[in-house]
Each structure stands twice: as structure tokens, then as C-alpha cells.
Amino acid sequence: MKRWCALFFSCFLTGLVWGQNVEVSVYVSTTDEEAITGAKVSLNHAYALTELSGTAILKNISIGNHLLVVEAKGYAVYEKRIQIDGRKRHFHVKLKPEVNQLKTVEINSSAQHIRKNTDARNIEIVDQQFVQRNLDGSLMKTLDRLPGISSIGIGSGQSKPIIRGLGFNRVVVIDKGIKHEGQQWGADHGLEIDQFATGEIEIIKGPSSFVYGSDAIGGAINLKPVNVPLKQGLGGSVNLIGKTNNKHYGSSVNLFGSNEKWFFDSRATYQNYADYRVPTDKVYVYDYAVNLYNQQLRNTAGRETGLHFSTGYVGKALKTSFYASNSHAKTGFFANAHGLEPRNVDEALHDASDRDIQLPYQTVNHFKLINRTEFSHPNGKTEVELGFQHNYRQEFNRYTAHGYMPPNYPNDMTIPINLERVYDKYIYSGNVKHSFNIHKHQVQMGFNGDFQNNNISGWSFLIPAFQQLNAGVFVYDKYQVEPDLLLHAAMRYDHGFYQFEQYDDWFRSEDVVNGSMVQQYLTRARDFSRNFNSFVWSLGANYNPGKLNIKANIGKSFRMPIAKELAANGVNYHYFSYERGNENLDPEVAYQIDLGLTWTAKRWSVAVNPFYNYFTNYIYLNPTAYHDRFYGAGNQVFEYQQSRVMRYGAELKATYQWLPTLSSEFLGEYVYSEQLSGEKKGFTLPFSPAPSGLLNLTWSPKISNSISDTYFSVDYRLTAAQNNIVPPEKKTPGYQVINLQIGGSLQMNKHNIDLSLQVQNLMDTKYFNHTSFYRLIELPEASRNVVLSLKIPFKSIKKQNNQ
Amino acid sequence: MRKHFRLLGLLALFFTAMAGCKKDDGEEIDTEYPEIVATANSFPQQCSLMMRGQTALIKLTFSDNRELGAYSLDIHNNFDHHNHSTEVNECNLEAKKTPVKPLLFVQNYDIPTGLKRYEATAQIAIPADVDHGDYHFLVRLTDKEGWQTIKGLSIKIQ
């Protein structure tokens, strides 16, 4: 304990005790004298980050001989012995670009470590190397390995994130500065993101409403653009992927280039997969036995393409870049249970080929155009982000009359007979952020706004067409009280507006009025509008005395109800339910306390991140005890309601380095949720992940000079049973799964080939994932899968003379 | 090293405290589904017949561990053999055909509050002019908490 106190007080006292200590300023620039921001400047044990001007100030440095180390992402580490003797000293360090630009920065590099320690929220940062090593069917499944992150998925290629038990519209995905907008509300809708095209990925566990506005109430996933360093000439890489479980093959080809001021980056990805396999011959869909041919889930094949192009200019006072991307996917739904409804299917048709996509299936196209521009000022910068997105989703299915729909599809319908649902969405967004420094304050202020136009089509109805407008302003102050103490404060005000369009059924329903039978068209949505206003705040602190890092954050966050919560009025055959929106919902409000404690020693580290979360009104789809024959075709009524909810939980991460080449890691996560009021008082929230732990052992031997970055890694995942459920969920037993990862970088003729091999579900265990969309119909998770991924970078030779 | 153990101890304590925070106010939440009990008197049963121009007398027995909620009945054609039967045995289906005037019946019913067991009866008039053939009889039963059990029977209308 004594050492603790000593450590604590020494931070404040050093200045008083040793009077002859001096202040050292270090200016860090590129070889072209351009300031580098965020570089870590260390003098013996003291360190500081360079400000926007490129300067870092280190205080209380004793006179004498010191080792000056400067590290910044994308640059080679600078090390030099320096002599400090005067009253005040200035140093100018010029950083050279990293020798091998193509190699990705290692996970948990010091720059990421610093970022984690200067943000009061709990952050996980991974990069493309993590994606390569843990490559799964979709980006969110890949990220699933991280503590506190789970995914809700359907089939093998689609899933969306859950952060600490909150998902759908409670987690924001930011792609290159602009909020990604698809149809986040639907459990069967994946996220239209190409995992090969992501740069660094930052996951913020916990509310981030004050930066990202509504929907960031559970957390945020920030996908950063790939950084193309300047003066590279031409370069690129080819990725090849193969998976055994669903006979997946794919490739992603990247080409980039840059000179002194301009750069471009492009990528094309194609993936093609067959029906995926589960370790069982028979599944039970609502007690209805379905025999699987070859253990494959009928009609779960898919195709995905992603096209990306970006270009930009980097000047002294102005940086600007344009990103254009288009991702397209066509994926089948498990034919025996589309809509979780047992159906007799033409087995001969489906089983003839495991790669064809028959009805029911969906196609999604997502187009994106983004511009990011940054203006540098002497004491700060202004960033402007503009985005346009078009999300077009079509769901195709055989026409099946439900409720009062006519038994035969009428000939005079303009909607094609197989077109069940269409969601067509246009999103226009704009962000402006200005950051500047005053004394020890780093201030950011900004504006976010977006407008959405949503249209619908198809013979089935769930939500009406609507327009949506959001606007928010925020201010955020980061105050460096001491070199190792940071305080944060933020405020934000938001306004939101919805306009819904009327929808009438295209078929008549039967009703008895005054004793006589009448046939009438039902109005499922009326023309109405809603306005929302919200004020949120957040306070945080970071204290980083040496090996210990402490962070704390407390704040209020909010979420505007989404269109489905306000205006749904139709049968969702996925749950045998009739979903009814509630026009009068309030914006969801939550209060959260987050803590982060990290202890980093030479050979081991422990990090604990507990949180407590209280919702005054969690908006929740409540399965009632009633049925509705009229709007709901006799199905159970699921109604949107608000209830008080308490949640708490924690993540634990511990690492131990046994030998220089042998390390182990434990990742654990736990979430508990409980509804404190309303009809489901005492029940949990839907899709609550079960407590789980992941034990990893990694051996990274140096095999030969031509093979580097070798790793042999075993993940042993233990997940407890989830018995804490809410209708219509099922209790899910615990399970244990082993995954293997093997890889390395081979040097061949001056070329590197990055190779990674994974074996997922090594023991072919039959288990259920509580947060899987297919859990309700007792579909086990995928059987053993061997994933082989190769990355072959290439580069034009002529520009390499400076190395 | 001692303080390291102290830190670990603190963490362990924190986790134990968290795990111990479970709801403790006595009443357990209900996670049991209601049951549609098959009895000898139940009508319809798998492969039962209903006659056109007559009124079918529906008799069903429901039970729940806490309290029943409500139920709904649904009769729709299975002329395309799309099949929602939850029963093991299938009836002999007639050849597939296109519906002309199929019977469509959808109705929801309340169950008096506070019951754990309920004998439901309903009358369904089968019009004389509807298509005969294979139909499905779907029973959806909920309990008060919102757990739902579905039973799909194959029936024939003659």
C-alpha cells in the first residue's frame, strides 16, 4: 500500500522537490516538416502526446542524460540519447515512414494503447490483421471474439453487433465518419459492410450518444478508412479465402497509389458460398421435424460483391478524400423455416444443388458516397463529412395467403408475385467538427445532421414509408489537469422529426359490423408525425500513473424510437407474431456508469471493465397474452412498450507472457439485465448473451528467416447456459468450443505472403447460440469449418529506393 | 507481489458481489409454456373430418403452470401441401389443387382470468359452398406471461 501512496503523490510532488527540473518541448514532424499529431514522445518514464501543432511538452524532466523515444503510427520509431542541461530545451524530431509500409501495425501497439488511456470510455481497437486471423462469415462475427461483443446473425454470411447485450438500433456503426444506415431493426438483416475494406476498427463499449447522437446508447463501432501513406507509388494486395463448411470461396483485390500530395485506394471483393452445414441430420422447427440433406441447411447459399474506390489530396492546410462504395448481396433463407414457420418444401428442387439460391431469398444493395475534408488552423482543425447512402433491400418469397389475403394472388397486382417486402432508403448526412486547444483544454464542437427518405413495397406489410430528420449539436472538452490525469466533459442537444405515410391493405378483411358481414380494406398506418428533443451529457476521467490505468465515465444517453417501434402494424412471420407499434413512445433515456481498471506489468496485465446501466424507459417489444384476428391474422399480439430496466456487467481481460514466444490470454464477459416495471417485470431483455469466457494460448516461434510473424493459437470458449429468458425465447444450454488459428508471413522473392489458417469448431460440437436468430427454431450453430486465407501484397519497385 | 494479490482479491470480490446481485425478491419468473392437452374428447384431432353445411363443435383442453392467457383458432386450406402440422402422423393428402372458394376462418378468444386449466368450446359453422379437401386447423395458445404454444392439425372438410 505504501508504494501505491508513494506512486500517487509522487506525481504531484516531483515538481516541488527537485527545483532544477526543466520543461522540455519536442516538435515532431515528417521529413517534409509537416507536424505529426498524436505521436508519443517519451523521456525515460515520462511521456506525452504531440498536440495538433506537432509539439509535446514534458514537464519536470531532471537535468542529465535521457533516452528520447518518439513513436507514431505509420512511422519508424525514433530513438536518441540526449543531454538536457539548460532551463528550457527544444528538440525537433523528424520521423521517417515505417520501413515496410505494407505491414499492418501490430495489435495493441503503443499508439492504440495511448488512445485507450486518453478516452474515458471503454475502447477496443483492432485492425485488418485481427480480421485476417479471425475471419468469419461477416465482420460482426469476426469481432465476436472480443470481450463484451457478440453478434446476432442469420445464416452464415450476415450478422449485426451486440455490445454488452444491446443490439439493433442501440449500436451505431460509423463507416468513414458517416453513420451506416441500413435496416438495422431487422434480425434477419445483416450489415452491408465488406470486412476486407476496413482499416482500423474502434469499438466503444458503452453509450456514446454525446458524439454520435441517437442510437449510440449501447455503443459504437467506428470503422476507419484505410490510411494510404504518401509517396508510395503503386501497390496493392490480393486476398484469397476458402472455407470448407459452406464451400466458400472468395477474393479481395486491392490497388493503391500515392505521390507527394495525392492518393487513391481501390478494392474489389467477391464471395460465393453454398448452403452451410450443421452437426445434425434433423432439426425441429416448432416441433415439426425437418430432415436435412447432407447436414446442410437448405437454401442458405449466398453471393456477395463489394466495390470500393477512394481518392484524396493531402496538403498542408487542407486534406480531402472521397470514398465511393457499393456492396451487393444475394442470400437465401433456410427454406424449411422462412419466417420460422414450418413449411413443406420441394426437397428435390432444393437438394439438387447446394449452391443455388431458390425462394425465399433476399437481395441487398448498399451504395455510399462520402467526402471528408479537414482544414488545419494554427491552433486547431475543422473537419467536414458529407455522405449519401442508398440502401435497397428486396425479400422474395412464394406468395402464401395469410389471414384474409386472397388464396390466389390477384392478376391485377402491380407488385410481382414473389416480392414479399421491399425497403428502399435514401440517406443524406453531414457532420461538421471544429477542434482547438486553449491552455490545457482540447475542445471539440460539432454538428451532425441527416435526412432519410424510406419507401416500401411488396405484398406483405410491417412498417410504413416515412421521412426522418435528425440534427444535433455537441461540445466536448478534454482537460489535461496533470500529465497523467485527464478530465472529460461533454453535452449534446438533439432534435428529431418523423413523418409517416398512410398505408392501406391491398386486400379486404372480413369483419362483422352490426351483425352483418362486411369486407373492408384495413388502414394499417395513418399519416402522422412526431418530434423529439433530447439533451444528454457525459463526464469522465483518466488517471494513468505508470502501470495502473484507471478510467471512469458517467453519463446520460438517449435514443429516438425507430419507425418500427412507432408505426409497425403487421404480421411478422418470423415470430408467429403480430407487431404493433406505439405512436406515443418517448425517446429512450439511459444513465450509465463505466469503470476501467488496467494493470500492466512486465509479463502480465489485467483489465476489468465493469458497468452499471439504468434505463428510465427501455422500449421493448412485449409479447402479450392476446391474439388479433383482424390486423394480426389470428397471431399473438407483440406490442411496443416502455419499461424501467437495470443492467450491469463486466468484461475481464488478463494476459500472461510465459516465455518470449508463449503467451496466454483470458477474456471474460458477463451481463445481467432485468426489467423493473411493466408487464415483463422481473424478466430479462431479449437476446441477452450468456456469461462466457475465452482462454487463449499463443505460441509465436521464430522458425526461419523466411517466415516471420508465425503464430499457433488455440481459443477455448466456454459459454454458460442462458436460463434467464423472456418470451418467446428458449433456454440455451452452455457449450464449449475450440478454435485454432495458425499463420505467418512467408518471404518469397522479396514478396511477403501472409497466410492464416483457422479451424472453427474443431470438435464439431453441436451447440446453440442464444443470440442467433435461428435459436428459436432449434438450429444448432455451424459445424467444423476450416478457413484458409492468403494475402499477397505487391508493390511497384521504382519507389523503394529510399529504403 | 503482495499488493498484486490484493488487487486480484479486490477483483474477485467485485465479481462475487456482481454475481450475488441477482434478483432475490422471492417470486421466480415463469418460463413454462402453456399446454394444449390432447384428450379423448378433444375435437378436432389429427385427420378429423368436418362436414360442409354443419357446425363443428370445437373442444380443446388447455393448461398452464401459472395462468392461461388467450387462444386463437385458424382454419385455412392446405391444397398446396404447404403443411404446418405439428403432429408426427400425416393424413392421406388429396392431390394438390387450386383453391376456388376455400374456407378461411380466423378468430381470437379470451380465457377467463385466473385459470390454470380450461376446457374451451367453440362453434364453427362450415358453409355448404366451400371447397372440400385438406385443411389446417391451427390453435395458438398463450399464457398470461406471453409464452405461446402452437398446435397445427391436418383436417379434412367434406
Side-chain angles (χ1 to χ4, degrees), chain A residues 1 3-4 286-288 341-344 403-404 407-408 576 599 604 606 608 610-611 623-629 633-636 648-650 652 670 672 674 680 682-683 724-731, chain B residues 3-4 6-8 11 14-15 18-19 21-23 29-31 33 69-72 74 77 80-86 90 98-99 102 104 106-108 110 138 140-148 150:
Chain A
M1 202 58 205
R3 254 179 74 185
W4 270 88
Y286 276 103
D287 300 327
Y288 176 83
E341 168 190 48
R343 290 193 65 80
N344 247 356
Y404 292 101
N408 301 312
F576 266 118
W599 183 277
W604 59 274
V606 180
V608 198
F611 70 94
T624 68
Y626 305 101
H627 298 92
D628 184 288
R629 59 171 285 269
N635 284 288
Q636 188 182 1
Y648 59 78
L652 173 71
Y670 175 79
Y672 178 81
E674 188 180 325
K680 293 291 181 288
F683 282 91
N724 204 6
I725 53 167
V726 59
E729 294 185 339
K730 290 192 165 149
K731 288 183 182 174
Chain B
K3 71 179 170 36
H4 292 169
R6 195 169 299 179
L7 188 72
L8 284 175
L11 293 178
F14 179 81
F15 272 94
M18 278 230 160
C21 275
K22 278 241 166 96
K23 190 170 98 89
I29 56 162
D30 177 21
T31 56
Y33 285 82
Y71 71 103
S72 82
D74 178 320
N77 78 78
D80 61 349
H81 298 182
H82 69 264
N83 205 321
H84 312 182
S85 167
T86 53
E90 280 305 329
T98 307
L104 177 66
V106 188
Q107 190 56 271
N108 52 287
D110 292 335
L138 206 61
R140 301 179 180 95
L141 170 69
T142 56
D143 68 5
K144 194 170 162 275
E145 284 76 19
W147 297 105
Q148 177 170 252
I150 294 174

Side-chain angles (χ1 to χ4, degrees), chain A residues 103 133 661 699-712 742-749 751-756:
Chain A
K103 223 165 118 180
R133 280 192 184 194
T661 57
W699 182 48
S700 330
K702 173 103 181 113
I703 293 178
S704 80
N705 284 333
S706 59
I707 306 174
S708 56
D709 298 327
T710 332
Y711 61 90
F712 296 86
I742 300 165
S745 188
L746 299 162
Q747 200 106 43
M748 285 165 88
N749 301 331
H751 282 292
N752 281 330
I753 298 181
D754 296 337
L755 189 134
S756 55

Side-chain angles (χ1 to χ4, degrees), chain A residues 129 179 183 220 316 367 426 440 454 461 498 535 598 642 690 744:
Chain A
Q129 191 180 334
K179 187 171 158 189
Q183 302 290 346
K316 271 205 170 120
F367 174 77
Y426 290 87
K440 290 172 167 183
N454 290 267
F461 175 85
Y498 277 104
F535 172 77
T598 308
Q642 320 187 61

Side-chain angles (χ1 to χ4, degrees), chain A residues 453-515:
Chain A
N453 191 5
N454 290 267
N455 288 305
I456 56 159
S457 184
W459 44 257
S460 148
F461 175 85
L462 192 59
I463 54 172
F466 65 98
Q467 286 78 46
Q468 187 182 347
L469 184 79
N470 302 306
V473 284
F474 70 92
V475 57
Y476 170 39
D477 178 20
K478 194 190 258 190
Y479 172 37
Q480 183 122 31
V481 187
E482 293 288 332
D484 52 11
L485 181 65
L486 278 171
L487 296 180
H488 311 255
M491 291 189 293
R492 182 184 174 101
Y493 180 79
D494 274 273
H495 177 75
F497 171 76
Y498 277 104
Q499 174 65 51
F500 290 95
E501 292 176 15
Q502 183 171 332
Y503 179 90
D504 298 324
D505 274 346
W506 54 269
F507 57 91
R508 289 190 174 96
S509 296
E510 237 169 48
D511 196 15
V512 179
V513 177
N514 300 328

Side-chain angles (χ1 to χ4, degrees), chain A residues 468-611:
Chain A
Q468 187 182 347
L469 184 79
N470 302 306
V473 284
F474 70 92
V475 57
Y476 170 39
D477 178 20
K478 194 190 258 190
Y479 172 37
Q480 183 122 31
V481 187
E482 293 288 332
D484 52 11
L485 181 65
L486 278 171
L487 296 180
H488 311 255
M491 291 189 293
R492 182 184 174 101
Y493 180 79
D494 274 273
H495 177 75
F497 171 76
Y498 277 104
Q499 174 65 51
F500 290 95
E501 292 176 15
Q502 183 171 332
Y503 179 90
D504 298 324
D505 274 346
W506 54 269
F507 57 91
R508 289 190 174 96
S509 296
E510 237 169 48
D511 196 15
V512 179
V513 177
N514 300 328
S516 58
M517 191 79 87
V518 281
Q519 301 249 329
Q520 54 175 328
Y521 295 105
L522 294 179
T523 296
R524 290 190 178 263
R526 68 179 189 98
D527 195 324
F528 76 102
S529 62
R530 279 292 310 265
N531 279 288
F532 298 99
N533 294 301
S534 171
F535 172 77
V536 297
W537 53 267
S538 172
L539 291 170
N542 288 83
Y543 179 53
N544 303 314
K547 290 174 177 172
L548 179 69
N549 305 113
I550 303 174
K551 54 171 77 180
N553 196 61
I554 179 164
K556 177 189 172 191
S557 46
F558 87 107
R559 183 178 69 88
M560 262 173 42
I562 60 169
K564 185 172 173 246
E565 292 163 338
L566 292 166
N569 192 354
V571 176
N572 184 350
Y573 291 101
H574 294 304
Y575 293 111
F576 266 118
S577 67
Y578 157 54
E579 287 186 18
R580 190 154 66 195
N582 181 348
E583 282 182 19
N584 302 314
L585 295 172
D586 299 319
E588 197 170 73
V589 172
Y591 296 89
Q592 175 146 326
I593 304 176
D594 274 286
L595 276 175
L597 298 165
T598 308
W599 183 277
T600 316
K602 207 171 181 179
R603 295 175 65 177
W604 59 274
S605 71
V606 180
V608 198
N609 298 303
F611 70 94

